[in-house]
Amino acid sequence: MVSFKPTSADTLEDQRLYTEARLVEVACLDCLARVKVKKNSEHHTAIQWTAEALDHCQEFQRAASQPGGRPIWTSCSRLRSSIDQAVRDTAIEIGAEDGY
């Protein structure tokens, strides 16, 4: 649910930069789920999952079938390895540009 809707062009551009700038599509090397990723630092990784990617992730599916379901703060170790490989291959740059 959106708490506010930006109306000025500058605010809309800031929103676009914050949610879309520098995102790189990465496919999990295991299940082929495709997500969008950016790394603002060595320790910070932003991942945007789609419903389709969540459905493809076998690790998330197994966790979701457990009592209590999948904790939302957990990540997929297989995708994490895929992202790390993309960083090593220089497909993903590390570091925010202009705050994004």
Side-chain angles (χ1 to χ4, degrees):
M1 170 171 35
V2 175
S3 60
F4 74 97
K5 181 170 174 56
T7 55
S8 82
D10 289 341
T11 303
L12 286 169
E13 178 61 7
D14 284 343
Q15 181 184 41
R16 185 195 70 74
L17 287 170
Y18 184 75
T19 59
E20 298 174 24
R22 298 179 38 252
L23 288 171
V24 176
E25 188 172 84
V26 174
C28 177
L29 297 174
D30 186 48
C31 72
L32 303 180
R34 299 180 93 60
V35 298
K36 291 188 177 179
V37 177
K38 73 176 168 181
K39 287 192 65 68
N40 290 334
S41 73
E42 188 69 36
H43 302 287
H44 177 269
T45 304
I47 303 171
Q48 290 189 354
W49 287 83
T50 63
E52 182 179 2
L54 287 170
D55 287 344
H56 276 90
C57 180
Q58 297 165 4
E59 193 166 323
F60 279 5
Q61 293 301 318
R62 278 192 300 278
S65 69
Q66 299 300 312
R70 178 183 70 83
I72 60 171
W73 62 86
T74 60
S75 65
C76 174
S77 62
R78 295 168 178 181
L79 180 65
R80 175 86 248 153
S81 295
S82 301
I83 292 169
D84 291 344
Q85 184 62 50
V87 169
R88 286 190 296 277
D89 293 343
T90 66
I92 299 174
E93 293 183 31
I94 298 175
E97 298 172 8
D98 297 329
Y100 300 101

